[in-house]
Amino acid sequence: MLWAHKRIATDDIRSVELLFREQAVSFDRTRQMLLVSVVEHGSVVRVWVCVPEIELLTPYYGFSLCTRADLPLAPTLVAGCPEQFGRLFEG
């Protein structure tokens, strides 16, 4: 699984979420894709997306690849499988 991240305006998270949900329906049969976020300040949020193949990152303009070690300690699940989120971030 590949992770990528980007800072965006809070108002823009909905469009990223819609893209993610469309991809998850088509490409996430194992329910491992995740979209998580952390509010940084005011109207800025940092989002991370987890996808199985590099090609799926193409529509996420401006996102940068990152490692598992770069993930936040306590993000909020925006979209994806709650069980997978729990395995990665809650223990």
Side-chain angles (χ1 to χ4, degrees), residues 68-85:
R68 176 92 167 79
D70 298 323
L71 299 178
L73 295 177
T76 300
L77 178 63
V78 177
C81 176
E83 291 81 16
Q84 177 68 359
F85 177 80

Side-chain angles (χ1 to χ4, degrees), residues 62-74:
F63 277 68
S64 300
L65 284 172
C66 64
T67 66
R68 176 92 167 79
D70 298 323
L71 299 178
L73 295 177

Side-chain angles (χ1 to χ4, degrees), residues 7-72:
R7 278 189 180 122
I8 61 173
T10 304
D11 294 342
D12 295 336
I13 198 166
R14 182 73 179 139
S15 62
V16 174
E17 181 182 356
L18 290 173
L19 168 61
F20 176 87
R21 289 183 185 278
E22 287 177 10
Q23 283 187 330
V25 166
S26 298
F27 303 107
D28 192 24
R29 303 210 192 299
T30 61
R31 298 183 50 148
Q32 293 190 34
M33 290 175 60
L34 293 173
L35 181 64
V36 301
S37 69
V38 171
V39 175
E40 289 197 334
H41 58 82
S43 62
V44 175
V45 63
R46 184 176 294 269
V47 294
W48 288 262
V49 62
C50 177
V51 296
E53 299 174 16
I54 192 80
E55 295 81 17
L56 294 177
L57 290 175
T58 302
Y60 294 93
Y61 300 109
F63 277 68
S64 300
L65 284 172
C66 64
T67 66
R68 176 92 167 79
D70 298 323
L71 299 178

